[in-house]
Amino acid sequence: MILAIQIGFLDISWKDALDILLVTILLTQVYKLMKGSVAIKVFVGFLSIYLIYLVVSALQMELLSSILGQFMGVGVLAVIILFQQEIRKFLLLVGRTNIFEDGKFFKNVRFWSQNGNARRANITPIVEAVKSLAGSNTGALIVLSHDSPLKFYAESGDAMDSLLSKRLLLAIFNKYSPLHDGAVIVHKDRIVAARCILPVTERDVPAQYGLRHRAGLGMSENTETFIIVVSEETGQISAMQDGVTMHNISAQELRRHINKYLNEPKDSKKEKEKKEESKVEVTVKEEVA
């Protein structure tokens, strides 16, 4: 056997190195596809338990290995049942993708190396477009993502991959446009897709909230995104983040909230606890009223 490297009592051949490389690429791609959705938390937790299972099996801890082995068997079935839609979208995405076609492999390699240095979205076209849409009572639903193109949700609509601009957003949400029904996903400075289907919240919402507001709220509950909704009836601007709705805000307030979302992508634990406490207080007040 030809050794690639020898570390103490470990003999690593070139096949072992290739095996590790392929598994790394596979896990990286799965993580990128699931990034931005609630399924990534389950994936990370399941992967952690699997790694622990491998360690205790290697140490021949029979009792713990047996318990974790039973959990792994049930866990796979639970993941398949709970996330059958995400798995279906993942398989469809893999089936449609050919990374070696027309030099796409080298483009993808370059994208991976430059992904960390990608620019953030220019929010001026978004704010100006939302302001114009609100002035003309034109309904709109925009999903702004700072760390993921949300491929799972983008696959439900029409792929665009276009440079972000005010005129393009106005054209998409024009009442006579075939793309106006659904959500637009914006990542960095590009429009990823239009006419996308979003998960609808299961919470009780006020009667004046339409399907756009329910879909925007559901998307904010399931992903770390910033949602912008323009009401077709009133022309009011609403924003959703982390399951919290900011209703009837101005264009200046919208710009401030977007800048805060991009500059502070992750809330601290104290801020999240305050939000949860505020939700409970609002719920209690509504029940008392």
Side-chain angles (χ1 to χ4, degrees), residues 146-164:
H146 61 79
D147 62 350
S148 171
L150 302 173
K151 290 186 178 181
F152 279 143
Y153 301 100
E155 281 289 312
S156 64
D158 296 330
M160 296 189 65
D161 191 23
S162 304
L163 185 65
L164 178 64

Side-chain angles (χ1 to χ4, degrees), residues 212-231:
R212 285 191 181 92
H213 292 82
R214 294 180 62 89
L217 186 58
M219 188 67 173
S220 69
E221 293 171 347
N222 287 276
T223 60
E224 296 179 352
T225 55
F226 187 87
I227 319 298
I228 305 170
V229 180
V230 180
S231 174

Side-chain angles (χ1 to χ4, degrees), residues 4-224:
I5 187 173
Q6 185 173 1
I7 304 176
F9 62 90
L10 294 177
D11 295 333
I12 303 177
S13 66
W14 65 270
K15 291 189 294 184
D16 297 327
L18 180 61
D19 187 19
I20 295 173
L21 177 61
L22 292 177
V23 171
T24 303
I25 294 175
L26 177 62
L27 293 179
T28 302
Q29 291 302 306
V30 171
Y31 174 77
K32 290 177 65 176
L33 289 172
M34 300 175 67
K35 189 178 180 180
S37 66
V38 69
I40 186 60
K41 297 180 181 179
V42 177
F43 172 74
V44 173
F46 186 78
L47 182 61
S48 301
I49 295 177
Y50 180 68
L51 293 176
I52 296 175
Y53 170 71
L54 293 179
V55 172
V56 297
S57 297
L59 296 176
Q60 297 181 353
M61 302 172 66
E62 297 182 0
L63 181 58
L64 190 56
S65 298
S66 177
I67 295 175
L68 291 179
Q70 295 294 330
F71 178 81
M72 293 298 298
V74 177
V76 171
L77 294 177
V79 169
I80 294 175
I81 294 173
L82 293 176
F83 300 100
Q84 54 181 327
Q85 295 182 356
E86 284 79 5
I87 294 174
R88 179 176 178 272
K89 291 178 181 179
F90 169 71
L91 295 177
L92 288 174
L93 185 62
V94 172
R96 293 176 185 175
T97 304
N98 185 2
I99 62 174
F100 295 100
E101 181 181 359
D102 297 331
K104 289 183 179 179
F105 176 77
F106 299 101
K107 293 181 180 179
N108 289 334
V109 172
R110 187 169 64 251
F111 171 77
W112 296 339
S113 62
Q114 296 177 353
N115 190 33
N117 300 324
R119 295 180 301 169
R120 287 177 174 172
N122 178 17
I123 67 173
T124 299
I126 300 176
V127 176
E128 293 298 326
V130 169
K131 186 177 179 180
S132 299
L133 292 168
S136 60
N137 282 29
T138 302
L141 179 57
I142 302 174
V143 179
L144 181 60
S145 175
H146 61 79
D147 62 350
S148 171
L150 302 173
K151 290 186 178 181
F152 279 143
Y153 301 100
E155 281 289 312
S156 64
D158 296 330
M160 296 189 65
D161 191 23
S162 304
L163 185 65
L164 178 64
S165 68
K166 173 185 175 181
R167 292 183 179 180
L168 183 55
L169 288 174
L170 294 178
I172 291 174
F173 290 112
N174 185 284
K175 296 180 181 180
Y176 302 100
S177 170
L179 299 176
H180 81 282
D181 189 15
V184 165
I185 296 178
V186 177
H187 176 56
K188 303 300 182 181
D189 58 348
R190 305 193 70 82
I191 298 178
V192 179
R195 206 174 62 84
C196 300
I197 301 174
L198 305 183
V200 180
T201 182
E202 298 181 358
R203 291 161 48 188
D204 293 332
V205 296
Q208 66 267 23
Y209 282 5
L211 184 59
R212 285 191 181 92
H213 292 82
R214 294 180 62 89
L217 186 58
M219 188 67 173
S220 69
E221 293 171 347
N222 287 276
T223 60
E224 296 179 352

Side-chain angles (χ1 to χ4, degrees), residues 120 123 146 226 241 246 253-267 271 275:
R120 287 177 174 172
I123 67 173
H146 61 79
F226 187 87
Q241 184 180 3
M246 294 160 279
E253 292 174 330
L254 177 63
R255 181 184 293 273
R256 185 173 69 253
H257 286 304
I258 295 177
N259 281 325
K260 182 179 179 181
Y261 167 74
L262 293 177
N263 295 328
E264 301 176 4
K266 293 184 179 180
D267 292 330
E271 291 175 344
K275 288 183 179 180

